[in-house]
Amino acid sequence: MKKFVCVLAVTIVALGVFALWSDTTEAQRSVSGKKDIEAVRTKSLAYLNDRLAARGFARASDTNVKVTEVFIDDLNMGHTRVQQTVNKVPVWGGEAIVHLNEDGSLATITDDLVEASYVNTEPNFSREDSIKFAARSYKGSKYLTEKPVADLWIYPTDGGNFLVYRVQLRREDGSAETAMPVIFIDAQTGVIIDEYDNLQTATGSGASLYNGTVSIETYYNGSTYYLEGIGRKIGTFDNRNTTTSTNRFGDTDNIWNTSTQRAAVDAHFGAAQTLDYYQNVHGRNGIDGSGGPGYYTSADGVTALISSKVHYSSNYNNAFWNGQFMTYGDGDGSTFTPLVTLDICGHEMTHGVTERTAGLVYQNESGALNESMSDVFGAMVERYKNGGTVNNQTWQIGEDAYTPNTAGDALRDMSNTHLNGDPDHYSERYTGTADNGGVHTNSGISNYAYYLLSQGGTHHFSNVTVTGVGAGAAEKIFYRALATYMTSSTNFAGARTATLNAAKDLYGATSSQYTRTETAWCAVGVGACPTTSTPTPTPTPTPSSGSNYVVNGGLEGSVSPWTLTGNGSFYTANGSNPNGGSGYLYFGAGSNRTGLGYQLISIPSNAPSANLRFALSVSTAETVNRADDKLEVRIYNSSGSFVETLDTYDNRNNTGGGYVQSSSYNLSAYKGQSIYIAFSVSTDSSLNTTFRVDDVSVK
């Protein structure tokens, strides 16, 4: 066994503003004596409105974002998390975080808002029916150990946006098929849209299996000591090799040394060390930030304990976080011995930290980051226990429990992910559907980025050399990125941005820590390397009358630097109907489409002229004499705010697929400014119209 098997109805038209609303039950965290939470929230929403306008979202009473958390961190920066919704139905992956500097100015926005088009938000069947559909599709439904739950979401896909029921199932029966399936069912048709497994795995004094004799916190009641620590609010419990019978560990002399107790000592010690690590290094209180979550109640009858269960099932080769507590199997003695090593405990509890912060969805790139964060902080917990020292074993995951008869190997090795067949460069990433889209396999990419950031080295494939910042700085950067800048849908590119934002907050944008973070991601193929030389300034020439201020107006070779958003804007480099060359933009080409194609240009103050022109082709299947499908030519200022519409074309401008030259639009009023020129499309639900744009110029 090589890996743990862990665990809109509204039309949104281009460019406008969201209507914002809040929930009185939103979570709030603050540092005593610092900023006012409500002021942070109010300013954040104002900045978010500006961003939403630039992104192309419409102002509509039924298009909202819901504030989910407002907090002020130990750097006195304010942060507001929001969940995108439509008709109060949340959008899967649609989130944003507004980050404010100490003076209330905007630092940055983590923008994972989704381009969501028309969706009917009234389901055709009930939650109960969706659970029945999911149970029929899941072959292990008769083994479910808890009642399924279902809730409504809007689920964006490349093929459109769907109203879905998210049905969450739970099977904890100790078999190799133990799982927490999540199934997305189209709420109109009952068809399964997507699915994945959300079981997030890793994988006195006490005589432990892996840590020698250790001091542990216990609770004395009557004549019995219990494996419970009231101070840290932790407890370790015994499943006695079943899946349903959970019992307290008791001892009369407070010396925990029997064969049954030894694995429990490791789990109890691992929980204590992990909680101490998060508290003392990152200032985090418990898994959820508030001293919890508690599950079982202590023998004192009052204290809810962060709970660990050992001796789960028989020969169970795994460990997992199930959203409520940690569970550890004993292994089969061949692939694994009991999975209670310190780094595995840190790994599982970090799944809980990730769930209560970014909430990285356990699928594809966000799932790989979820796994990677658990590996990273599992390793850092081990380093913490060892007094801050780093050695080769620091970077090995589960080495003490994995294949006990094979010396020197490990489940994963962050310093050399190829040892286990995992990628260490983005070009090598797994893109199939197994393993929830490679959540364990692709974790090697960010694991190696972290290793390089911490320890330094030269990547064997990219040949990029990274100078390490040390594990102390690296862990601070990655934790802040996870807890402050990531959302549920963050991918590798987003993780790079998140860690750079964290490095900037902690050490400054010109610091070596910032530059080395950038270099570490570049080394593993995510983003560009920082530039090291300062370019020689060149004088601004007087533009000639033929200068084109649009870059790549002919759209040859690539779409850059044009940006396309929405489901109705497209680019082809080798199209069948260009005006010249082979590339062009095209818009519409389908029903209920909205989209935007834009480029930021700068018009010199001494430009002899500034006239926008382009070649336009319109082909349509519409037969009625009304404007059903439209293409607008727009101008926005450099901050993304709408300025004016220059012209509107529609299906009645049908050119039969051939090109005509547009009118000439005088932009002289914008000399000395940077502006966005934009093409905005909207089509109705009937016959299709395609607008093609080529050879764009501002001269």
Side-chain angles (χ1 to χ4, degrees):
M1 180 176 178
K2 289 291 185 181
K3 301 174 176 67
F4 295 117
V5 185
C6 291
V7 171
L8 292 147
V10 58
T11 301
I12 303 179
V13 296
L15 293 153
V17 186
F18 266 61
L20 299 169
W21 64 284
S22 66
D23 191 307
T24 56
T25 62
E26 69 191 46
Q28 295 186 347
R29 294 190 279 122
S30 64
V31 178
S32 178
K34 298 201 174 173
K35 259 181 236 174
D36 176 71
I37 286 288
E38 188 58 32
V40 170
R41 180 182 178 280
T42 300
K43 287 186 176 183
S44 295
L45 295 185
Y47 287 123
L48 185 61
N49 255 338
D50 292 340
R51 169 60 63 89
L52 294 169
R55 281 289 309 272
F57 293 101
R59 180 185 294 277
S61 60
D62 52 3
T63 302
N64 308 290
V65 295
K66 175 183 176 181
V67 176
T68 58
E69 183 182 33
V70 184
F71 66 97
I72 300 166
D73 64 27
D74 54 2
L75 297 181
N76 215 18
M77 293 181 65
H79 309 276
T80 300
R81 287 182 178 265
V82 301
Q83 169 68 56
Q84 183 180 354
T85 69
V86 174
N87 288 345
K88 299 189 179 182
V89 178
V91 180
W92 188 257
E95 299 170 64
I97 315 170
V98 183
H99 311 277
L100 303 184
N101 293 313
E102 185 174 2
D103 62 2
S105 62
L106 179 64
T108 189
I109 297 177
T110 301
D111 183 352
D112 286 327
L113 298 167
V114 176
E115 301 288 349
S117 59
Y118 177 86
V119 168
N120 180 0
T121 55
E122 290 296 325
N124 280 341
F125 50 88
S126 68
R127 284 176 169 79
E128 291 74 18
D129 288 335
S130 72
I131 290 171
K132 292 177 183 177
F133 293 152
R136 285 196 208 112
S137 71
Y138 175 52
K139 65 181 181 181
S141 59
K142 67 180 180 180
Y143 302 109
L144 296 180
T145 54
E146 287 192 19
K147 184 179 179 180
V149 294
D151 52 0
L152 276 175
W153 288 81
I154 290 162
Y155 196 81
T157 72
D158 291 340
N161 302 291
F162 298 87
L163 180 71
V164 301
Y165 282 107
R166 177 185 63 170
V167 183
Q168 300 180 79
L169 310 176
R170 187 184 294 269
R171 176 184 179 180
E172 292 183 37
D173 60 358
S175 70
E177 287 73 37
T178 293
M180 292 173 58
V182 179
I183 303 175
F184 297 91
I185 296 176
D186 189 322
Q188 311 298 340
T189 67
V191 172
I192 293 177
I193 301 296
D194 197 7
E195 57 187 312
Y196 67 94
D197 182 3
N198 198 38
L199 190 69
Q200 301 179 16
T201 76
T203 4
S205 70
S208 70
L209 291 172
Y210 305 114
N211 295 289
T213 299
V214 295
S215 296
I216 52 176
E217 185 180 4
T218 60
Y219 174 69
Y220 184 65
N221 186 20
S223 59
T224 304
Y225 294 90
Y226 295 98
L227 211 52
E228 301 169 5
I230 303 302
R232 294 186 180 90
K233 297 182 180 179
I234 57 173
T236 303
F237 300 87
D238 187 3
N239 264 80
R240 298 180 182 174
N241 297 119
T242 72
T243 61
T244 57
S245 176
T246 302
N247 305 272
R248 297 188 193 278
F249 275 102
D251 193 272
T252 57
D253 63 5
N254 208 24
I255 299 174
W256 304 80
N257 55 6
T258 70
S259 58
T260 301
Q261 292 173 346
R262 295 185 71 188
V265 168
D266 276 294
H268 201 62
F269 180 72
Q273 290 293 306
T274 301
L275 292 175
D276 287 356
Y277 166 77
Y278 275 109
Q279 179 71 64
N280 296 331
V281 177
H282 302 298
R284 184 175 189 83
N285 179 20
I287 289 173
D288 61 8
S290 301
Y295 189 76
Y296 291 111
T297 302
S298 168
D300 70 0
V302 177
T303 306
L305 303 174
I306 298 173
S307 303
S308 303
K309 297 166 65 172
V310 299
H311 302 310
Y312 176 76
S313 190
S314 179
N315 298 321
Y316 187 66
N317 278 321
N318 228 317
F320 58 85
W321 159 261
N322 69 355
Q324 300 168 309
F325 50 79
M326 288 70 65
T327 300
Y328 303 97
D330 285 338
D332 59 10
S334 176
T335 304
F336 283 103
T337 50
L339 289 93
V340 288
T341 65
L342 188 58
D343 54 358
I344 292 177
C345 293
H347 179 110
E348 295 310 331
M349 294 177 73
T350 297
H351 277 309
V353 173
T354 296
E355 178 186 281
R356 302 307 175 101
T357 53
L360 291 162
V361 173
Y362 205 62
Q363 187 180 34
N364 303 324
E365 290 191 16
S366 60
L369 288 168
N370 190 319
E371 272 299 308
S372 178
M373 290 297 168
S374 283
D375 281 352
V376 163
F377 292 110
M380 292 301 95
V381 167
E382 189 173 289
R383 169 182 174 268
Y384 173 81
K385 180 258 183 182
N386 291 331
T389 61
V390 172
N391 54 42
N392 290 337
Q393 284 191 317
T394 304
W395 307 109
Q396 294 181 323
I397 306 301
E399 70 278 7
D400 290 330
Y402 183 61
T403 56
N405 297 320
T406 303
D409 66 347
L411 189 66
R412 287 187 289 278
D413 191 326
M414 297 176 65
S415 68
N416 187 351
T417 66
H418 279 183
L419 285 176
N420 297 88
D422 296 336
D424 63 10
H425 193 273
Y426 193 69
S427 64
E428 302 172 338
R429 71 192 184 281
Y430 171 73
T431 58
T433 59
D435 184 32
N436 279 353
V439 298
H440 295 90
T441 301
N442 290 335
S443 65
I445 298 169
S446 46
N447 278 356
Y448 197 54
Y450 183 84
Y451 172 79
L452 289 174
L453 176 62
S454 173
Q455 304 303 109
T458 300
H459 195 287
H460 65 93
F461 178 75
S462 66
N463 291 317
V464 173
T465 298
V466 184
T467 302
V469 299
E475 67 186 351
K476 291 283 191 180
I477 291 168
F478 265 57
Y479 174 76
R480 184 170 179 82
L482 173 67
T484 304
Y485 286 103
M486 291 186 185
T487 70
S488 64
S489 60
T490 296
N491 56 16
F492 284 117
R496 175 184 181 275
T497 300
T499 53
L500 287 174
N501 284 330
K504 179 175 66 175
D505 293 347
L506 293 166
Y507 305 106
T510 60
S511 65
S512 61
Q513 291 89 342
Y514 182 95
T515 302
R516 293 173 189 179
T517 301
E518 198 171 14
T519 306
W521 284 111
C522 168
V524 300
V526 180
C529 285
T531 56
T532 56
S533 60
T534 303
T536 302
T538 56
T540 303
T542 301
S544 66
S545 59
S547 297
N548 186 1
Y549 308 120
V550 174
V551 178
N552 192 20
L555 295 151
E556 300 304 319
S558 75
V559 71
S560 180
W562 295 89
T563 297
L564 303 178
T565 63
N567 65 353
S569 58
F570 310 93
Y571 168 73
T572 178
N574 295 290
S576 59
N577 192 14
N579 184 58
S582 60
Y584 52 87
L585 302 175
Y586 64 103
F587 301 89
S591 301
N592 295 319
R593 297 283 178 88
T594 62
L596 195 70
Y598 57 90
Q599 181 183 145
L600 183 67
I601 68 169
S602 297
I603 305 175
S605 58
N606 58 347
S609 59
N611 297 304
L612 169 64
R613 301 190 77 186
F614 53 90
L616 176 67
S617 165
V618 183
S619 57
T620 186
E622 296 282 6
T623 58
V624 295
N625 188 29
R626 65 172 182 255
D628 289 341
D629 306 319
K630 299 178 182 180
L631 183 75
E632 295 184 352
V633 185
R634 297 177 173 182
I635 299 296
Y636 298 85
N637 64 23
S638 59
S639 64
S641 297
F642 173 77
V643 178
E644 63 172 315
T645 297
L646 299 176
D647 209 343
T648 300
Y649 298 87
D650 60 53
N651 48 277
R652 297 172 299 180
N653 299 113
N654 186 12
T655 67
Y659 280 85
V660 296
Q661 188 66 40
S662 74
S663 300
S664 180
Y665 307 100
N666 190 342
L667 304 183
S668 296
Y670 301 106
K671 288 182 180 181
Q673 300 180 41
S674 293
I675 59 171
Y676 288 98
I677 55 171
F679 299 94
S680 173
V681 69
S682 61
T683 65
D684 69 1
S685 60
S686 61
L687 301 171
N688 297 342
T689 302
T690 300
F691 302 91
R692 296 178 179 86
V693 174
D694 200 357
D695 296 327
V696 187
S697 66
V698 175
K699 297 182 179 181

